[in-house]
Amino acid sequence: MSRILVVEDESAIAELISINLRHAGYEVTLAGNAEQAQLEVDRVLPDLVVLDWMLPGQTGLALARQWRGATRTRELPIILLTARAEEVDKVSGLDAGADDYLTKPFSTNELLARIRAVLRRKAPEALDTAVEVGGLVLDPGTRRVSREGVEVKLGPTEFRLLHFFMTHPERVHSRSQLLDRVWGDHVFIEERTVDVHVKRLREALEKVSCARMIETVRGAGYRLTQQSSALSA
């Protein structure tokens, strides 16, 4: 379930957005100002932020710039909400780091569509869409993994790990990156824990001859390759 932080000081709008997001299957956290939003982001990094421009105190525009300037939040997906509809305002919002820009009043259906579009581009592992790589199929909705009709039984951590690998194929991920993206950056465990779960994942995938899809890149981390015949370390 994707975590979305809604930063909006108008309670009626915040509640409307929250109800529709929860109905669509998202986990929602609300913040009424920039300070509360920063506390929530410090606590748990969300999958996406819906951010109002005109907040009391620090503006949403300034907060977006602040997040883009910090290593931890540099890639945080942000959709900016505002009553400002002029082209110069849209340019300012996008230049500040927003991934998308939606003017008020807005349709909740359009907001949901834009959220899905931004997540597809920036955080595909946060979506519940089935993904297929090298004949291996993972369906987040049913929590099932299979190849050619043969189901693979995975624990919850191995499932999340495989989901991340399959939505980011052919890329090398360090242990620290995997800890942040799969376990969450608010969880403090040793990096070697990743090795244990990769080993368990490979053992489970052996049943469908896909264990070698997960490669160890020495000195760098792990990578999922679409060629199931690739040699694993």
Side-chain angles (χ1 to χ4, degrees):
M1 182 184 293
S2 303
R3 295 187 298 269
I4 296 182
L5 173 62
V6 177
V7 189
E8 169 62 66
D9 63 316
E10 294 186 42
S11 58
I13 295 178
E15 189 61 27
L16 175 66
I17 295 173
S18 175
I19 289 172
N20 281 274
L21 289 180
R22 289 192 173 103
H23 183 71
Y26 297 103
E27 179 184 330
V28 183
T29 302
L30 298 177
N33 55 50
E35 183 179 3
Q36 292 176 5
Q38 188 62 60
L39 288 173
E40 290 297 335
V41 167
D42 289 343
R43 184 177 64 85
V44 179
L45 196 64
D47 294 304
L48 180 142
V49 178
V50 176
L51 178 63
D52 184 34
W53 182 321
M54 299 302 293
L55 295 172
Q58 185 182 17
T59 67
L61 198 67
L63 187 57
R65 288 197 186 99
Q66 178 180 308
W67 284 338
R68 285 293 177 256
T71 301
R72 180 171 174 267
T73 51
R74 187 167 296 149
E75 299 300 324
L76 179 62
I78 300 171
I79 295 179
L80 199 62
L81 293 182
T82 179
R84 297 169 176 261
E86 297 297 324
E87 181 181 357
V88 64
D89 297 317
K90 294 180 180 180
V91 171
S92 296
L94 295 171
D95 283 347
D99 296 288
D100 204 349
Y101 186 106
L102 190 59
T103 56
K104 300 177 181 178
F106 57 86
S107 156
T108 52
N109 285 334
E110 182 179 4
L111 175 59
L112 288 170
R114 288 175 181 263
I115 286 172
R116 291 192 296 270
V118 171
L119 287 176
R120 277 197 301 270
R121 292 199 308 269
K122 299 202 66 175
E125 75 279 2
L127 295 171
D128 287 335
T129 306
V131 59
E132 185 269 336
V133 177
L136 190 66
V137 180
L138 182 148
D139 188 340
T142 60
R143 309 291 293 182
R144 289 181 176 174
V145 177
S146 63
R147 185 174 187 237
E148 297 179 351
V150 179
E151 188 170 346
V152 180
K153 298 295 184 182
L154 296 177
T157 300
E158 287 72 39
F159 185 92
R160 292 196 305 272
L161 184 60
L162 180 60
H163 190 198
F164 180 77
F165 277 137
M166 291 180 68
T167 50
H168 301 82
E170 306 296 345
R171 302 183 197 174
V172 178
H173 308 283
S174 69
R175 292 177 178 85
S176 62
Q177 288 173 331
L178 291 171
L179 283 175
D180 285 348
R181 300 298 296 273
V182 177
W183 279 261
D185 69 343
H186 59 294
V187 177
F188 300 99
I189 55 178
E190 293 184 3
E191 290 188 0
R192 286 295 173 183
T193 301
V194 175
D195 300 337
V196 174
H197 288 283
V198 167
K199 181 175 182 292
R200 290 176 182 171
L201 177 57
R202 282 173 171 158
E203 289 172 349
L205 292 176
E206 192 65 56
K207 178 181 179 180
V208 290
S209 303
C210 290
R212 293 185 176 182
M213 291 176 70
I214 300 175
E215 295 181 326
T216 299
V217 181
R218 297 192 183 280
Y222 294 101
R223 166 177 62 204
L224 183 135
T225 175
Q226 298 190 44
Q227 300 298 322
S228 60
S229 61
L231 294 176
S232 63

